Amino acid sequence: GAVVSQHPSWVICKSGTSVKIECRSLDFQATTMFWYRQFPKQSLMLMATSNEGSKATYEQGVEKDKFLINHASLTLSTLTVTSAHPEDSSFYICSARQPSGESSPLHFGNGTRLTVT
Amino acid sequence: LAKTTQPISMDSYEGQEVNITCSHNNIATNDYITWYQQFPSQGPRFIIQGYKTKVTNEVASLFIPADRKSSTLSLPRVSLSDTAVYYCLVGENNQGGKLIFGQGTELSVKP
């Protein structure tokens, strides 16, 4: 079964508004979560690493003031796209690992399709 | 972080075995090799993971040579529903270990 849950699965918003996407780890605590973005016909691009209780670490070229990440609890990270514009329309995916031994793979949520009109 | 190289696309027919090879020449000692499957508009789904030699689960096998600079995902007897993009990733497996995606392999299974 799913171990990482995302909400909403899709959202449409008007240009200039902000949108919040939630990522929850189910039945385990995740001190770290990862946010990816995927444009059509392209691979996933890592945006940032979300750290519980501290600031997120952003990849080069990702605007931290544009994509606000809050990891307020050990099971929830949120990504807020602020002042969204049509070019922010994309598929946003979060991921986390279950803490167990050596080989714990990264599990992904089902993604959030954002459309900015 | 190790960079991976895979074929961009592959074609197969139902019932065939499909082998997708990934090169990761700069793999580090602590890196694991993980393969994911992605369908359109869905998040990647974990298929299999290994560190060395051979790993097998109910859906696939993963072959890793001794030098670990490449790996091969083997899908036995594919069906139409296996049409998807397959990604090979290498990286550390601790909670903070981030994974960088390469371009992936688009597998098309035909009847």
Side-chain angles (χ1 to χ4, degrees):
Chain A
V3 297
V4 176
S5 174
Q6 257 182 269
H7 178 81
S9 56
W10 59 272
V11 58
I12 301 172
C13 72
K14 292 187 176 180
S15 188
T17 61
S18 295
V19 173
K20 180 184 285 187
I21 302 169
E22 294 186 348
C23 179
R24 294 182 185 273
S25 57
L26 306 179
D27 301 323
F28 72 96
Q29 295 181 336
T31 55
T32 304
M33 292 184 178
F34 303 94
W35 287 96
Y36 292 81
R37 179 169 57 178
Q38 186 176 33
F39 292 107
K41 297 293 185 181
Q42 294 186 23
S43 183
L44 284 76
M45 185 194 81
L46 180 65
M47 299 176 67
T49 302
S50 174
N51 304 300
E52 189 270 336
S54 65
K55 291 182 180 180
T57 305
Y58 291 83
E59 295 298 305
Q60 190 173 9
V62 178
E63 301 174 57
K64 61 181 175 62
D65 295 329
K66 172 78 172 176
F67 300 99
L68 300 180
I69 292 173
N70 184 18
H71 197 146
S73 79
L74 286 171
T75 59
L76 173 65
S77 174
T78 61
L79 169 68
T80 301
V81 183
T82 63
S83 186
H85 291 285
E87 57 265 30
D88 298 323
S89 297
S90 188
F91 192 50
Y92 293 87
I93 311 168
C94 71
S95 63
R97 278 192 184 85
Q98 292 175 286
S100 61
E102 283 188 347
S103 57
S104 180
L106 199 59
H107 291 280
F108 290 83
N110 254 341
T112 298
R113 173 75 60 194
L114 170 63
T115 302
V116 184
T117 61
Chain B
L1 293 171
K3 180 180 177 181
T4 59
T5 303
Q6 305 173 231
I8 294 175
S9 63
M10 292 182 70
D11 290 332
S12 181
Y13 291 93
E14 281 191 291
Q16 288 187 332
E17 177 185 80
V18 170
N19 296 308
I20 307 175
T21 298
C22 177
S23 297
H24 28 80
N25 291 317
N26 297 322
I27 189 169
T29 304
N30 294 333
D31 287 344
Y32 281 76
I33 301 160
T34 314
W35 284 79
Y36 291 88
Q37 175 193 56
Q38 187 183 28
F39 297 112
S41 297
Q42 293 187 25
R45 184 175 74 100
F46 170 78
I47 301 174
I48 198 166
Q49 178 179 262
Y51 184 80
K52 60 181 178 181
T53 63
K54 177 184 174 182
V55 180
T56 297
N57 63 21
E58 62 275 9
V59 298
S61 293
L62 178 60
F63 298 91
I64 305 169
D67 65 3
R68 304 202 323 125
K69 294 187 176 185
S70 66
S71 59
T72 299
L73 173 72
S74 181
L75 304 172
R77 299 179 299 281
V78 294
S79 63
L80 296 177
S81 62
D82 292 317
T83 294
V85 179
Y86 292 82
Y87 293 99
C88 156
L89 294 97
V90 295
E92 294 189 18
N93 245 12
N94 52 62
Q95 273 219 332
K98 61 184 181 183
L99 294 180
I100 304 299
F101 279 75
Q103 62 186 7
T105 297
E106 187 169 7
L107 174 65
S108 177
V109 180
K110 302 174 183 178

